Amino acid sequence: MVFFHGTNFIPFSAYSAPSYVVVHSCKYVNLVGRRKGLKKRFYHKLYQKIYSDKHLLCVSESAKEDMLTLMKARPKSIATIYNGFDFRKMKELAEQPCDLDLPEKFIMAAGRPDRTKRFDVLLRAYANASSKETHELVIFGEGRGLPELKRLSRELGIERHVHFLGFYSPLNAVYKYASLYVLS
């Protein structure tokens, strides 16, 4: 591997500044924890080795804790740097028109439907909440876990109150219409 410096290509091995691995999600919870037996031990050791002896930057404290307590990685260094926000840009996006047919009153959630977002917990809580009589639940996001969430909403008897609207951008234009945003 090479990188470009000025007008010269330099081999990556000659690069002397520390490099960082950015950890975007809980690796043990999402990757190792779903396996069983020898596969689980194998992947645990593999990911432990991958993330040990490296400089790690995590986007959340939960990803950092996952790396240290569950994965038991031994990084050279580990720090959390939260995703930054451009508030001016967020306000501009919120002023854009929303072309969706949204319920009059709704609770909103958004994200890729995987184990990290815990939309299953949200659906169960919503099924037990009295707010389902006054507010619909709108979930934005696409991914492999979507059919399972739709099945769960049918099992819980709330499918007529839950709307899976897929990917939509910018969501900033939708937030202002929601009664509540849930980050489960």
Side-chain angles (χ1 to χ4, degrees), residues 36-85:
K36 296 184 186 314
L38 287 175
K39 275 189 175 181
K40 184 173 188 170
R41 288 189 9 220
F42 170 78
Y43 281 104
H44 187 202
K45 290 295 181 191
L46 176 67
Y47 285 111
Q48 196 175 56
K49 184 166 178 57
I50 289 170
Y51 291 104
S52 289
D53 206 32
K54 308 270 188 325
H55 297 285
L56 303 180
L57 294 175
C58 301
V59 298
S60 69
E61 282 297 312
S62 61
K64 180 179 174 182
E65 283 303 307
D66 176 84
M67 198 52 59
L68 295 173
T69 60
L70 297 175
M71 190 66 75
K72 296 188 182 345
R74 299 288 177 245
K76 285 182 181 176
S77 67
I78 188 165
T80 301
I81 300 177
Y82 298 97
N83 291 329
F85 296 98

Side-chain angles (χ1 to χ4, degrees), residues 87-104:
F87 290 105
R88 184 187 55 74
K89 180 74 171 173
M90 290 171 70
K91 286 179 183 177
E92 285 175 15
L93 292 171
E95 296 306 316
Q96 291 186 357
C98 176
D99 58 355
L100 295 173
D101 184 23
L102 296 167
E104 186 177 331

Side-chain angles (χ1 to χ4, degrees), residues 99-137:
D99 58 355
L100 295 173
D101 184 23
L102 296 167
E104 186 177 331
K105 292 183 176 183
F106 67 96
I107 297 166
M108 177 181 162
R112 186 180 60 249
D114 63 17
R115 291 174 48 107
T116 312
K117 301 300 184 221
R118 296 313 307 255
F119 290 141
D120 59 320
V121 172
L122 173 60
L123 290 172
R124 286 184 177 89
Y126 180 77
N128 290 315
S130 60
S131 60
K132 70 180 171 292
E133 305 306 324
T134 59
H135 289 74
E136 303 288 300
L137 176 60

Side-chain angles (χ1 to χ4, degrees), residues 2 16 51 54 63 76 104 109 123 154 163-164 181:
V2 296
S16 61
Y51 291 104
K54 308 270 188 325
K76 285 182 181 176
E104 186 177 331
L123 290 172
R154 284 191 301 275
H163 308 270
F164 294 97
Y181 179 82

Side-chain angles (χ1 to χ4, degrees), residues 128-152:
N128 290 315
S130 60
S131 60
K132 70 180 171 292
E133 305 306 324
T134 59
H135 289 74
E136 303 288 300
L137 176 60
V138 176
I139 298 176
F140 292 94
E142 293 177 353
R144 292 185 311 203
L146 200 54
E148 177 65 21
L149 293 173
K150 289 179 178 180
R151 183 193 59 73
L152 180 59

